[in-house]
Amino acid sequence: MSKLIVDGKEIDVPTEYTLLQACEAAGAEIPRFCFHERLSIAGNCRMCLVELVGSPKPVASCAWGVRDCRPGPKGEPPEVKTRSPMVKKAREGVMEFLLINHPLDCPICDQGGECDLQDQSMAYGVDASRYRENKRAVEDKYIGVLVKTVMNRCIHCTRCIRFSTEVAGVPELGAIGRGEDMEITTYLEHAMTSELQGNVVDLCPVGALTSKPYAFAARPWELGKTESVDVMDAVGSSIRVDFRGREVMRVLPRTNDAVNEEWISDKTRHVVDGLKIQRLDQPYLRERGHLRPASWSEAFQAIAARVRVTRPERTGAVVGDLAAVEEIFALKELMDRLGVKNIDARQDGSALDPAWGRATYLFNPTIAGIEQADALLIVGSNPRREAAVLNARIRKRWRMGGFPIAVIGERADLTYSYEHLGAGPETLADVAAGRHAFADTLKAAKAPLILVGAGALARPDGAAVASLAAQAAQALGAVKDGWNGFAILHAAASRVGALDVGFVPGAGARTAAEMAHGGVLELAFLLGADEAEVAKGAFVVYIGTHGDRGANRADVILPGAAYTEKSGLYVNTEGRVQIAERAGFPPGQAREDWAILRALSDILGHKLPFDSLIELRAALFKAHPHLQRIDEITPGDPADIARLAARGGAPDRAPFRPAVDDFYLTNPIARASVVMHQCSALAKGAHALTAAE
């Protein structure tokens, strides 16, 4: 620790602190444009100037280390002043320079009302400028369908460049020219390809980079704000949903160092237009091959008539990827009362089973724990597509050094270097048996991590692959006292919660894959399950939000609520219980899914024992107490992994395939989104150079 005097206050700070961090630790406010806690130091803007007593001129506090400060002539601690006349004059001068070329278009700028330049010019600027020269004009750049550029406003803080290079790992943005000719661009003006590119809008301290889909849509003071959780993948990123009236306007990240830090993926941010398109807003019944609008009573009576003539063993239920824990629990309770054992939440065919123990299906080292790992083996996964924010965390650890990475599965650009060991289970068996050089690397590591993707488990031999991965974790030291490096990376937001409440087939019952076989089912309930196949000839009841695949196959459609329109619990891939709060209301006659199931149970003569969400959660918490620990992880028992390893099995030789082929079109909301379809087309190279061709 080092002693420092800041504005007359003596403090102790770590020697690795910068002056900016030390001043803020002392309670001083330091303005900045280029400095960001999660990016490297650039020292471009000079807005953070402070007076270091003894220095002939102000110093940039973001780039000056505490350890570089000299003590006073009599050995007294270094002294820093943040409010002296020198500092005031320096900041006013910097602000004057920044505003020389900045256009006066605040009234039409989408950054208005949440602009760092506006705020700091009010606090640290002067009310007049001495410059009368013409302002510099810069041509706007095309960098894709998500980020709008107005480069006249750019102050060259280079936050966007550092983010795309360091965090996203796709160094597409850079600077050309020098001095007043400097410009930020993608060089050839092609579209950015990173799945995290939307974060540059949050990072931009002025209005040079704004959200293109959100352009001219609303002002920040018009919007209501609700804290929620992302369901586009299984990471469970913390988000803020901004809405106006009944309409969701935008999604922004919330800082959560344990999960997503302060980043979100582009799908999380820009899928909101999909909430308005192809929505189901009233019940439908299929008659003579065509769907017609119906009342709730008609729909329920049609379902009840079919339930009365269908045996429980010929009935099944499948849960989709976006369902909250409450409605999964309610559907399970209803199926139990009907005597139905054919239930499954693994619509992709995953072999994971809660009977194996909770540790066998969690990301046990936790997302933040990736930074503690010192070696990584990725099995059958493409984290960049399946969990873009988690992939950024892996890259963050890789940039720290001392983190060898190997991949078994498909070759892909993961934004970090790795060793490709092979394509299928036979390579994993070689590593588990120590017949591969990377096995020695894992054994020598103090905290090795074995990441198993959902695609490796969603195969006919998924159980054998899971056992083989557990054997590798045991043999290579990934599971030991104080460290559990066996990590399952799910691709569906609902999966861990569904496994926690046991939404899997009973003894002798059918899995989701088996329910797809012809003649197996006569009645199928789909709770937002749009990726699941259904047996031909079955009567299908679909509860969901969009006119997607499930609705097209349905005989009865019951309109549900999207994740922004209900309060629900979600359990992310690491087992963290999180709550998504309601930001708006479902359209038309649509209702929350648990309420639909409660009303349906009454008509079926098997009334569920709860009449409100509070009562439902009380029943849920009584049955599964760990789900009431919001924002906490209840760890699994490492002994479960040893038991899984002992199960054995003979995996086939088919190569692993990742769980996600198209990052942008993975669920009904995304497939309804025009923006996501544009991004998907760009990712496939359809319009990669529209501005330059």
Side-chain angles (χ1 to χ4, degrees):
M1 301 291 281
S2 298
K3 287 190 181 298
L4 207 64
I5 299 174
V6 178
D7 294 334
K9 178 181 178 181
E10 186 173 304
I11 60 169
D12 286 314
V13 295
T15 55
E16 64 270 15
Y17 266 28
T18 63
L19 274 187
L20 188 150
Q21 292 170 304
C23 291
E24 291 197 330
E29 182 179 298
I30 306 295
R32 82 291 298 270
F33 290 113
C34 67
F35 176 80
H36 191 277
E37 290 80 0
R38 303 188 196 277
L39 304 176
S40 61
I41 294 171
N44 291 337
C45 72
R46 320 309 284 183
M47 195 65 205
C48 64
L49 293 174
V50 297
E51 180 182 355
L52 181 60
V53 174
S55 172
K57 60 182 182 179
V59 300
S61 60
C62 72
W64 193 284
V66 168
R67 61 164 55 93
D68 298 323
C69 298
R70 295 181 181 179
K74 297 181 180 179
E76 61 268 27
E79 184 175 358
V80 180
K81 297 180 180 179
T82 68
R83 295 193 292 267
S84 67
M86 175 197 283
V87 173
K88 183 176 184 296
K89 183 178 180 181
R91 289 176 181 169
E92 288 176 352
V94 169
M95 183 60 69
E96 192 172 4
F97 274 121
L98 287 175
L99 295 176
I100 289 173
N101 288 312
H102 199 80
L104 300 176
D105 58 358
C106 296
I108 63 162
C109 177
D110 273 322
Q111 198 86 343
E114 47 192 9
C115 174
D116 290 349
L117 187 63
Q118 278 184 333
D119 296 341
Q120 294 186 37
S121 62
M122 283 290 293
Y124 304 104
V126 292
D127 60 356
S129 173
R130 292 170 286 178
Y131 291 90
R132 297 292 180 266
E133 290 79 10
N134 292 331
K135 292 180 180 289
R136 184 181 79 136
V138 181
E139 184 179 350
D140 294 339
K141 307 296 189 296
Y142 170 82
I143 59 175
V145 299
L146 300 182
V147 183
K148 175 186 175 184
T149 62
V150 185
M151 301 313 291
N152 285 338
R153 303 170 185 159
C154 181
I155 62 170
H156 302 158
C157 70
T158 69
R159 280 186 180 183
C160 55
I161 297 174
R162 284 175 284 149
F163 173 83
S164 61
T165 302
E166 298 165 11
V167 178
V170 187
E172 297 167 311
L173 283 174
I176 59 174
R178 292 173 63 86
E180 68 174 355
D181 295 323
M182 178 177 169
E183 298 181 21
I184 307 298
T185 180
T186 54
Y187 303 113
L188 296 177
E189 291 196 35
H190 62 79
M192 295 175 69
T193 60
S194 169
E195 296 81 5
L196 299 170
Q197 63 182 275
N199 291 287
V200 301
V201 173
D202 296 332
L203 289 171
C204 185
V206 295
L209 303 177
T210 57
S211 172
K212 189 174 284 187
Y214 179 70
F216 308 126
R219 287 299 194 183
W221 54 83
E222 301 174 338
L223 305 177
K225 301 168 178 63
T226 299
E227 294 186 351
S228 189
V229 177
D230 173 48
V231 300
M232 294 296 112
D233 55 33
V235 174
S237 299
S238 296
I239 59 173
R240 192 187 85 194
V241 180
D242 287 4
F243 59 93
R244 183 173 59 193
R246 299 175 67 98
E247 184 179 6
V248 174
M249 302 302 296
R250 63 177 179 178
V251 169
L252 297 176
R254 285 190 293 124
T255 300
N256 187 342
D257 289 333
V259 181
N260 59 306
E261 298 185 295
E262 58 187 84
W263 320 123
I264 55 174
S265 73
D266 294 334
K267 182 165 56 176
T268 301
R269 185 186 301 269
H270 292 293
V271 78
V272 292
D273 68 313
L275 294 168
K276 313 166 193 173
I277 301 172
Q278 287 189 317
R279 287 302 301 270
L280 300 173
D281 59 359
Q282 67 183 63
Y284 288 88
L285 276 176
R286 188 177 297 276
E287 291 183 353
R288 295 185 292 276
H290 298 283
L291 290 169
R292 69 164 179 85
S295 67
W296 281 101
S297 178
E298 283 183 287
F300 284 164
Q301 292 299 336
I303 297 169
R306 181 60 72 142
V307 169
R308 281 194 293 269
V309 300
T310 307
R311 290 176 296 155
E313 56 269 25
R314 306 282 289 187
T315 304
V318 181
V319 164
D321 293 346
L322 307 184
V325 176
E326 290 91 342
E327 56 244 34
I328 298 173
F329 179 75
L331 181 58
K332 184 175 187 298
E333 289 290 296
L334 179 57
M335 292 298 107
D336 287 346
R337 282 165 167 72
L338 294 174
V340 176
K341 302 298 182 184
N342 303 318
I343 61 174
D344 206 349
R346 305 162 301 179
Q347 61 173 346
D348 59 355
S350 174
L352 292 173
D353 193 326
W356 297 350
R358 197 164 191 257
T360 64
Y361 60 84
L362 292 185
F363 198 95
N364 292 289
T366 73
I367 295 171
I370 292 172
E371 297 182 28
Q372 311 306 317
D374 52 2
L376 172 62
L377 174 64
I378 299 175
V379 180
S381 177
N382 182 338
R384 183 174 172 184
R385 286 187 195 157
E386 296 166 28
V389 172
L390 184 141
N391 192 65
R393 183 83 73 148
I394 295 175
R395 174 176 167 78
K396 178 182 178 181
R397 174 62 186 89
W398 173 77
R399 291 185 69 242
M400 297 178 187
F403 191 53
I405 303 174
V407 171
I408 300 175
E410 188 181 74
R411 291 180 184 269
D413 179 8
L414 299 181
T415 72
Y416 40 80
S417 59
Y418 60 85
E419 180 183 355
H420 186 259
L421 306 184
E426 68 278 2
T427 306
L428 178 58
D430 288 342
V431 174
R435 295 191 295 268
H436 197 287
F438 197 77
D440 297 330
T441 301
L442 291 168
K443 288 179 181 178
K446 293 181 180 179
L449 196 159
I450 297 179
L451 186 157
V452 184
L457 306 172
R459 306 162 28 124
D461 62 342
V465 171
S467 180
L468 184 56
Q471 292 171 26
Q474 293 284 320
L476 303 174
V479 181
K480 61 182 76 172
D481 288 341
W483 175 256
N484 187 343
F486 184 73
I488 302 295
L489 179 58
H490 292 276
S494 66
R495 188 63 49 82
V496 175
L499 294 174
D500 277 353
V501 301
F503 202 93
V504 292
R510 308 283 187 171
T511 65
E514 292 168 340
M515 290 184 220
H517 297 158
V520 172
L521 295 185
E522 294 178 4
L523 173 60
F525 290 88
L526 303 183
L527 182 59
D530 289 270
E531 279 67 45
E533 296 295 328
V534 182
K536 291 183 178 179
F539 186 89
V540 177
V541 178
Y542 176 77
I543 305 172
T545 59
H546 285 72
D548 201 70
R549 300 165 184 168
N552 291 337
R553 174 68 183 83
D555 294 285
V556 178
I557 296 175
L558 305 177
Y563 71 105
T564 59
E565 299 159 0
K566 61 189 175 186
S567 178
L569 296 174
Y570 291 90
V571 187
N572 76 349
T573 191
E574 60 182 351
R576 184 183 303 275
V577 182
Q578 301 182 100
I579 187 166
E581 294 292 359
R582 182 172 62 190
F585 293 90
Q589 299 178 42
R591 296 293 182 266
E592 295 182 34
D593 304 64
W594 73 265
I596 294 173
L597 293 166
R598 163 62 183 80
L600 177 60
S601 70
D602 205 358
I603 302 298
L604 298 179
H606 295 276
K607 184 177 177 180
L608 293 174
F610 39 77
D611 295 320
S612 67
L613 185 59
I614 294 175
E615 293 178 3
L616 168 55
R617 283 181 176 163
L620 173 65
F621 296 156
K622 183 178 180 180
H624 306 281
H626 73 280
L627 293 175
Q628 64 188 314
R629 304 185 189 109
I630 305 300
D631 204 34
E632 292 185 17
I633 299 173
T634 302
D637 184 357
D640 295 338
I641 299 170
R643 287 190 287 270
L644 175 59
R647 292 179 59 89
D652 62 34
R653 300 178 62 85
F656 292 129
R657 297 283 302 167
V660 175
D661 290 325
D662 191 330
F663 169 77
Y664 297 101
L665 303 176
T666 56
N667 59 64
I669 302 175
R671 287 191 288 270
S673 167
V674 174
V675 176
M676 290 298 98
H677 277 281
Q678 292 173 339
C679 291
S680 176
L682 279 173
K684 294 172 183 174
H687 304 289
L689 296 173
T690 44
E693 61 191 4

